[in-house]
Amino acid sequence: MRRLNELGILSRPEFRTVASVSGGSITAAALATAFARISPPASGPIPEAVWNAELRDPLRSFTRRNVRTGPLVRRLLPWNWLRGSTAVLALARAYERRLTPLPLAALPLRPAFLICATDMAFGVNWIFSRDRVGDYQAGYGTPPSDHPLARAVAASSCFPPLFGPLPAGVTPGELTGGAFPAGPRRDDIIAGMRLTDGGAYDNMGLEPVWKDHATVLVSDAGGLFTEQGDRGILWRIPRYQGIQERQTRALRKRWLISSFATEVLRGAYWGIGSAAARYGRPGGYSKELARDVIAQIRTDLDAFSGAEAAVLENHGYFLVEAALRAHLPELVPPGALPFHPPHPEWLDEASVRAALAQSGRRTLLGRF
């Protein structure tokens, strides 16, 4: 996001939409909250001091906290055993305290922010936006004026099995225009509707934009599928699901790259396991470091260390620069702000390997 701002892309009138899933919705909410507090300039980047105060510092503060262990502990309390949504509702409250106090109605008019979750009833993409919630099967409705953005982010990022799904909280009459036939069966389904992590259906947030946007930028920070030997039945059960997820992600990525190649869409894709060298650009971290270390950083909502955050920020910064210059050089304006990695003290790969050696290891209570 920092480099997109430095290139003036976030302030361009053509910058129409931010679509996000899972952990990406946390960053999207931080960006939306910053945009609601400031007015991005009509052209050119947001000044660095404003950017740091309104986006970098609040988001860094959020990522230094463990926001998952408290909600999960609540789920273990005896009086909550039969309440499957206890943990995710507590997560939503944590987001509201720590990440964003905005209601959906206070989201900026432009760009449009689309927070994506997965509708477990119909198995399709569900969106939360400023003036619309729902999906094409159940229908769409207008969110209440006080509907928290934090609740939408919780629905988008409540990764299973740690977090149960979030109740959609809508009545059948609030949603109209869906493809599923009206009647008692539809009403029963919607009355019990639950929403889970947006990455379960569309891990890159493409579906809301691929039909009516000419240029698409995709930042894919999803964890990589790693090769492992057989470890028994308890290992195989999630492994089956992981293989299915890998296939879905691969198909979407191949479709996206094919659309770029055939000029159905214009755009650029960068993934956490890639490197600037893959785009024919110098600098940045090696492919080996990206694949073996950076892409292995856990994504379970506990606290990032300063080194983890700095390396992730550097890596994204390098990839944005490389991908845009390779595939969309017209988006890099003459006289753009100089390329300057945000954390030059974390460019030495040996130091990164040492600092992040345990970053892929998950613990029961997480890191604080």
Side-chain angles (χ1 to χ4, degrees):
M1 300 304 293
R2 175 183 290 275
R3 190 54 181 163
L4 291 176
N5 175 61
E6 290 176 351
L7 297 174
I9 290 172
L10 302 188
S11 301
R12 293 176 63 153
E14 308 97 303
F15 179 53
R16 292 172 49 198
T17 307
V18 176
S20 62
V21 299
S22 199
S25 292
I26 294 172
T27 300
L31 182 66
T33 304
F35 277 13
R37 289 194 295 255
I38 63 175
S39 296
S43 62
I46 298 167
E48 183 178 14
V50 177
W51 178 266
N52 289 344
E54 298 295 342
L55 183 71
R56 182 200 66 181
D57 295 348
L59 187 55
R60 264 299 193 97
S61 177
F62 176 83
T63 62
R64 283 196 292 265
R65 297 178 180 273
N66 181 324
V67 296
R68 61 96 155 157
T69 302
L72 292 176
V73 168
R74 285 178 178 271
R75 183 179 179 183
L76 299 177
L77 297 174
W79 51 88
N80 289 328
W81 287 353
L82 299 180
R83 299 175 181 176
S85 57
T86 296
V88 68
L89 290 174
L91 181 66
R93 291 191 293 270
Y95 284 163
E96 195 164 10
R97 291 193 309 271
R98 307 295 188 189
L99 178 66
T100 178
L102 290 186
L104 289 177
L107 284 169
L109 286 170
R110 198 172 185 92
F113 283 83
L114 306 180
I115 308 296
C116 300
T118 298
D119 169 1
M120 295 187 71
F122 294 104
V124 296
N125 187 70
W126 174 284
I127 66 163
F128 294 91
S129 69
R130 177 189 171 96
D131 53 11
R132 194 169 74 147
V133 298
D135 61 53
Y136 84 95
Q137 285 281 9
Y140 296 92
T142 302
S145 60
D146 60 348
H147 191 294
L149 171 59
R151 187 178 172 106
V153 178
S156 182
S157 60
C158 59
F159 58 92
L162 287 182
F163 290 98
L166 181 77
V170 295
T171 63
E174 291 177 302
L175 303 178
T176 60
F180 196 83
R185 183 161 179 258
R186 170 192 180 272
D187 293 351
D188 287 345
I189 291 172
I190 292 177
M193 184 179 290
R194 297 291 188 272
L195 307 175
T196 191
D197 192 299
Y201 178 75
D202 179 4
N203 67 292
M204 289 189 285
L206 282 168
E207 190 158 301
V209 300
W210 63 16
K211 294 180 181 177
D212 57 3
H213 286 61
T215 303
V216 178
L217 306 178
V218 178
S219 178
D220 181 4
L224 302 183
F225 185 90
T226 56
E227 301 79 6
Q228 296 177 357
D230 188 81
R231 300 178 183 178
I233 185 64
L234 294 180
W235 172 87
R236 291 174 201 149
I237 293 172
R239 190 69 170 181
Y240 296 137
Q241 180 182 355
I243 293 170
Q244 291 176 327
E245 179 184 342
R246 183 189 193 193
Q247 179 198 40
T248 302
R249 294 182 61 173
L251 288 173
R252 285 188 180 271
K253 182 178 175 181
R254 289 168 186 161
W255 174 88
L256 179 70
I257 301 303
S258 175
S259 295
F260 291 159
T262 57
E263 300 183 349
V264 173
L265 284 173
R266 295 171 62 251
Y269 166 94
W270 52 91
I272 193 168
S274 192
R278 296 294 293 268
Y279 299 89
R281 306 294 303 179
Y285 298 122
S286 68
K287 172 71 175 177
E288 292 73 24
L289 186 77
R291 182 192 62 224
D292 299 339
V293 178
I294 301 175
Q296 304 306 319
I297 296 175
R298 71 209 171 280
T299 52
D300 64 355
L301 298 179
D302 67 356
F304 279 162
S305 69
E308 289 166 344
V311 171
L312 286 168
E313 290 172 22
N314 276 350
H315 190 42
Y317 192 92
F318 280 118
L319 292 179
V320 168
E321 176 79 0
L324 292 188
R325 288 193 180 274
H327 299 296
L328 291 170
E330 64 274 21
L331 292 186
V332 182
L337 287 175
F339 177 81
H340 181 71
H343 303 284
E345 71 277 15
W346 283 106
L347 297 181
D348 177 70
E349 296 205 357
S351 299
V352 171
R353 283 185 179 274
L356 273 58
Q358 299 298 317
S359 292
R361 189 169 65 89
R362 290 172 168 82
T363 61
L364 180 62
L365 295 179
R367 305 181 192 199
F368 291 85

